[in-house]
Amino acid sequence: MSEPRPAPDQRGAGSAPRRLKPAPLLFEPPEAGADREHFFDLESIDDPRELLSRSTELTLAFRTAADRATEFQAMAAAQLADPKRFDRLPLSAIAEQADWTEDYARKMVEFGRGLLRNGGTHPDPTD
């Protein structure tokens, strides 16, 4: 699945853009986050082949993590929009909470419903 794009700000010209804080990478030491030169110890690798290999591993891991997180977003959106729920949310509310357009929220709800029908997220091909 391709990476989701942020929704355009539709709250009007006078409001400040909403900034979402990125989720912490739990396996990265917290003190390393303050050092912009430090990234998973890649800066300490001198061999370019090893650097390419390790950075490629990280790239693939982050892509997989982003895809899986997107699937969980879609399933949550589908559950929140479920007409059987007494507290279901309209697409506009889901879109606002996730910082999506309403059209993208509709697509994510449809995608999430398909995932839920098929038992959840797609299996990880590396397992």
Side-chain angles (χ1 to χ4, degrees):
M1 178 172 189
S2 64
E3 294 178 5
R5 285 179 233 129
D9 189 296
Q10 298 180 5
R11 289 170 281 200
S15 64
R18 190 167 100 194
R19 300 283 180 216
L20 298 176
K21 183 178 179 184
L25 300 172
L26 300 178
F27 43 87
E28 177 83 9
E31 62 277 359
D35 180 5
R36 296 181 69 65
E37 295 298 316
H38 179 85
F39 188 72
F40 291 91
D41 212 26
L42 293 177
E43 72 286 348
S44 67
I45 300 174
D46 294 326
D47 178 15
R49 289 177 191 199
E50 183 182 349
L51 179 59
L52 179 61
S53 175
R54 179 66 180 132
S55 59
T56 301
E57 288 173 357
L58 283 170
T59 299
L60 296 174
F62 285 129
R63 282 183 193 153
T64 300
D67 287 347
R68 302 254 345 238
T70 300
E71 290 174 350
F72 281 102
Q73 280 184 308
M75 290 188 301
Q79 290 170 337
L80 289 170
D82 187 346
K84 295 180 220 155
R85 288 178 62 115
F86 76 93
D87 61 344
R88 80 168 185 244
L89 294 178
L91 288 174
S92 59
I94 294 169
E96 183 177 342
Q97 183 175 344
D99 204 23
W100 297 333
T101 64
E102 199 167 322
D103 185 52
Y104 189 76
R106 183 177 296 103
K107 291 176 184 177
M108 288 293 278
V109 166
E110 291 170 13
F111 178 54
R113 286 178 177 155
L115 289 171
L116 291 169
R117 270 192 305 273
N118 295 319
T121 62
H122 295 296
D124 184 353
T126 61
D127 286 344

